[in-house]
Amino acid sequence: MLSVFRPCREQSHAGMTYTNAVAFGYAGYGNKPTTIPLILSVHLSFPLSEEGEESTLTTRHSFIQMTKLSNVRGRITYISSHARQEHLYAVYETTERSYWTELARCSQQEFKKSGVDGKCIEARELIIALPESLYEQGMPDILLKSFTDKFKEKYGVECVAALHHNKRMTNFHIHLIFSERQLLAEPVIKTATRNMFYDEHGNHVRTKKEILDENGNIRKRCKVIRKGEIYERNLFTSKNTRFKQEDFLDEVKLFYTRMINRWVTDEKDRLTVFDHNGPYLATKKIGKNNPKAEQIEKDNKLRMDWNREVDRAIISEVSMDDILQIKREHITEPVKRSIERYGNKPEMLSLILNMAIAELVLLITKVLEDIKGIHSRLQRENAPEDKNKAQKQDNGILTADALPPEPVMTPEAAAYPKLKKIKTELDSQNAIIFEAEKLRGSLEIEMSNLKGLAKLTRKGDLQRKIDEKTDYINRLKVGLSNMVRNSGFENMNEFLLTFRECRNAYTDYQRQYESWKNACRKPDTPTHKDEKLSDKLARLQREAAENQNSISRQTKNRGAR
């Protein structure tokens, strides 16, 4: 039951399949249209070189399912029974089994009061898929207790859980049943102040006549509660509405995914929570003997191409809002319209994704051109300053007793130099891709402008160069995505968010450190070494005047003798 997705970086030995096209122009972003030659791609299958080889790590997305239980006692018996479960490793309960009997009674009682149709929901169940490596660790009781106690600690409700394998030993998972109610600190007990009468349906009626038959006897299943007897006992609070909210399951997925990743010891077993609202597209798992395997594989290749361009857009400093806008306007909405008009036709996805990739590549090119222009202007404006300019020097150091505490570098700040090195390599790789695409575009323009005899003699040579350049660009893009993946990040977006967080932490530390150094200075009389340039010149002038006066006096004395 583990849902496995394979994002763009994780398909090895996959050939690239695109549609040959040349696009000119840019629209939708900014006021100035630009003419950018772009070859979308080429039908090509190539073995990946060492520098651009696909990562062998596979991103595995966590699978957690939630269901409603209308018979909680029966479900608990089912998941905890060795007779009914072939591979049951552990059962753990945070309270006594009688608790669930009282919970079911309370839920049914509240359900009858509400008068709504349908089934009464007595509790809820989570099915949590686990990596097989956790089974191999051989600590089922400790594992199950930890996962259950953490849930109770976070949400404050009672639980019962069981750790299973399925019949074929291919799915290691936890069944966790939890209550939507909590026990009251003091039970609410209601006592009848007079005789109370209930009909066959459990409804309260005013008089005894209403439950009598023709012979004056109480009808079957009707009930009389005598004065002084308990007619209602409530041990639980009302249901926690948090468990009914749409984002609750997403919260649980994130909570348990982080917990699973703390348990696993092998990097390949780490799980992630796929964000469907993010810029990336999830690829689909191809099951055994799937009749649509070929179509799914084609779709996955296009999704991988989109994900690679998203990685490149992010490292190129393209706004996330712009990336999400392209995804929404050129993928999400066209797919929705296509399904409404033509039904479910997977072959339409190819055209939609190719157009979306083209839009994203055009946006990346425009942003990189703008950044390049800005950098050139800044280099011209920030000319090197006079190297002979006087610099401020330290005035003196406070005693050790008066030193303020030195700021401590946080783990985020300490990680920044390493992340900065990775960022520099990514920027360098991205710049190489940008220049290669410009060269490929010029070749495309040259080939499209061929006429007459030259069209027959030079077209083949130009097409060969374009194919080689496309091969080279595709390898570089694969390598760009793999740089962050091999550094322990799921994707470029995760890396860049971490990089910015660490950069801010490092900047704060540097600022605190400079403030600490300044606080450690004392305003002593400046020495010659520490003087400002103006003060130094004045001092030298005074010394020269004194020397001149001394020489004059010595000359007069010699003349007098």
Side-chain angles (χ1 to χ4, degrees), residues 301-317:
K301 288 176 182 177
L302 285 171
R303 292 167 185 260
M304 288 154 52
D305 296 337
W306 166 263
N307 289 344
R308 288 195 189 97
E309 293 302 335
V310 169
D311 278 348
R312 188 162 168 251
I314 291 171
I315 200 60
S316 300
E317 302 294 340

Side-chain angles (χ1 to χ4, degrees), residues 211-224:
I211 61 172
L212 298 178
D213 58 14
E214 296 175 354
N215 299 323
N217 298 321
I218 297 176
R219 298 194 301 270
K220 290 182 179 180
R221 296 197 301 175
C222 292
K223 184 171 62 175
V224 178

Side-chain angles (χ1 to χ4, degrees), residues 286-300:
I286 304 176
K288 188 177 180 181
N289 299 325
N290 191 329
K292 298 182 179 179
E294 184 178 353
Q295 183 61 50
I296 294 175
E297 185 177 359
K298 290 180 180 179
D299 290 349
N300 283 345

Side-chain angles (χ1 to χ4, degrees), residues 65-73 75-76 79 99-100 103 107 119-128 151 157-161 174-181 239-249 252:
Q65 175 181 294
M66 184 169 67
T67 56
K68 302 173 184 177
L69 302 179
S70 57
N71 181 10
V72 64
R73 292 171 297 177
R75 184 62 178 171
I76 291 173
I79 67 170
Y99 169 91
W100 302 100
L103 177 67
S107 298
K119 292 184 178 180
C120 172
I121 306 304
E122 299 177 353
R124 292 176 184 256
E125 177 184 11
L126 293 172
I127 300 177
I128 308 164
F151 188 90
V157 292
E158 301 297 341
C159 309
V160 54
I174 290 174
H175 292 268
L176 189 147
I177 295 173
F178 65 92
S179 170
E180 296 178 277
R181 306 173 187 269
K239 289 185 177 181
N240 187 343
T241 57
R242 179 73 187 97
F243 302 128
K244 300 179 181 180
Q245 294 175 4
E246 292 183 359
D247 63 338
F248 169 69
L249 185 57
V252 171

Side-chain angles (χ1 to χ4, degrees), residues 495-522:
F495 165 78
L496 203 61
L497 291 174
T498 305
F499 170 78
R500 289 170 178 167
E501 180 183 353
C502 293
R503 181 180 61 189
N504 293 338
Y506 186 79
T507 303
D508 291 342
Y509 169 76
Q510 292 286 70
R511 189 183 303 111
Q512 293 171 10
Y513 185 76
E514 288 299 322
S515 300
W516 174 77
K517 281 206 310 183
N518 293 334
C520 291
R521 312 303 177 195
K522 63 179 181 180

Side-chain angles (χ1 to χ4, degrees), residues 48 89 91 100 142 150 302 307 314 319 332 383 534:
L48 297 171
Y89 304 116
V91 176
W100 302 100
I142 298 175
K150 286 294 183 182
L302 285 171
N307 289 344
I314 291 171
S319 166
T332 306
S534 58

Side-chain angles (χ1 to χ4, degrees), residues 233-386:
R233 182 179 59 180
N234 193 0
L235 306 178
F236 299 92
T237 63
S238 56
K239 289 185 177 181
N240 187 343
T241 57
R242 179 73 187 97
F243 302 128
K244 300 179 181 180
Q245 294 175 4
E246 292 183 359
D247 63 338
F248 169 69
L249 185 57
D250 293 332
E251 179 181 289
V252 171
K253 284 182 179 180
L254 184 61
F255 169 69
Y256 270 127
T257 299
R258 289 174 176 172
M259 191 171 180
I260 290 170
N261 289 339
R262 287 195 292 269
W263 274 79
V264 299
T265 56
D266 195 337
E267 183 69 23
K268 68 180 179 61
D269 291 326
R270 291 180 62 83
L271 303 178
T272 61
V273 179
F274 187 81
D275 183 9
H276 292 278
N277 296 321
Y280 296 98
L281 295 176
T283 55
K284 297 180 181 179
K285 180 181 177 181
I286 304 176
K288 188 177 180 181
N289 299 325
N290 191 329
K292 298 182 179 179
E294 184 178 353
Q295 183 61 50
I296 294 175
E297 185 177 359
K298 290 180 180 179
D299 290 349
N300 283 345
K301 288 176 182 177
L302 285 171
R303 292 167 185 260
M304 288 154 52
D305 296 337
W306 166 263
N307 289 344
R308 288 195 189 97
E309 293 302 335
V310 169
D311 278 348
R312 188 162 168 251
I314 291 171
I315 200 60
S316 300
E317 302 294 340
V318 176
S319 166
M320 181 58 67
D321 291 338
D322 287 343
I323 298 174
L324 293 175
Q325 180 181 345
I326 291 179
K327 180 184 177 184
R328 181 177 63 255
E329 294 181 356
H330 296 277
I331 298 178
T332 306
E333 294 177 359
V335 167
K336 187 184 298 183
R337 288 196 299 268
S338 175
I339 294 175
E340 290 174 354
R341 294 177 184 177
Y342 309 109
N344 188 13
K345 292 188 176 181
E347 59 273 11
M348 299 290 291
L349 182 64
S350 175
L351 179 61
I352 292 172
L353 287 182
N354 271 321
M355 294 303 297
I357 291 170
E359 283 288 331
L360 188 55
V361 172
L362 287 168
L363 179 57
I364 293 170
T365 305
K366 182 177 185 298
V367 170
L368 290 178
E369 289 283 5
D370 292 343
I371 292 174
K372 187 176 179 181
I374 293 172
H375 285 173
S376 300
R377 187 172 65 253
L378 290 176
Q379 288 176 358
R380 291 193 302 269
E381 293 175 354
N382 299 329
E385 297 182 358
D386 186 9

